[in-house]
Amino acid sequence: MDKINKQIIHILQKNARISMKELAEKVHMAAPSVIERVRKLEESGFIEGYSTTVSLKKMNREITAMVLFKSKDCHGLYKFCKEHPDVLECYRVAGEVSYIAKIATHSVEDLEKFIDASMAFGTPSTNLILSSSKKETIEYHEVNE
């Protein structure tokens, strides 16, 4: 991965809707060359896709939590989390807990229902998310825009 590809990824992480012309200007290259680089980054798996970030608040899902599980039924918990509409992310982890699920619910009552239902698969421990200070991106500190 060369410096220009790192710059392209960095810029796309900040704004995936940027035009190829504007992206080319930012990395000081011709648009066809940048289009080809982006295509190669996609094909090689460096860029896995593009997404839209939706406001949980606007979607009336203001209660967010990380629920840690000491699971006695990993396969059942995996299926439960995969199918539950409030689960945003779910990770199998090593350590004292076996799974961590990030959930977003409409109310404390919905959170309680989730916790109650999940107890069939192990022991949950819930941590409410008060705020977030960093979004998921890879930072390339040597990149200058």
Side-chain angles (χ1 to χ4, degrees), residues 11-73:
I11 293 165
L12 287 172
Q13 283 183 316
K14 287 185 171 186
N15 179 9
R17 294 186 64 186
I18 191 171
S19 72
M20 289 296 118
K21 179 183 177 204
E22 188 177 351
L23 179 58
E25 289 170 1
K26 286 184 177 275
V27 297
H28 310 292
M29 292 184 70
S33 298
V34 170
I35 291 168
E36 181 65 15
R37 280 178 176 262
V38 170
R39 184 189 62 74
K40 285 181 180 179
L41 287 166
E42 292 168 344
E43 288 176 355
S44 64
F46 281 97
I47 296 175
E48 294 180 341
Y50 302 89
S51 64
T52 301
T53 304
V54 177
S55 167
L56 293 173
K57 185 175 185 174
K58 296 280 187 184
M59 298 296 290
N60 194 27
R61 290 181 175 255
E62 294 189 56
I63 307 295
T64 55
M66 298 300 272
V67 183
L68 290 68
F69 295 96
K70 289 184 179 179
S71 181
K72 60 185 178 192
D73 178 4

Side-chain angles (χ1 to χ4, degrees), residues 111-133:
L111 175 59
E112 184 177 16
K113 288 176 189 173
F114 175 87
I115 292 167
D116 289 347
S118 71
M119 291 176 86
F121 307 102
T123 305
S125 173
T126 306
N127 297 280
L128 287 176
I129 297 173
L130 302 176
S131 65
S132 174
S133 59

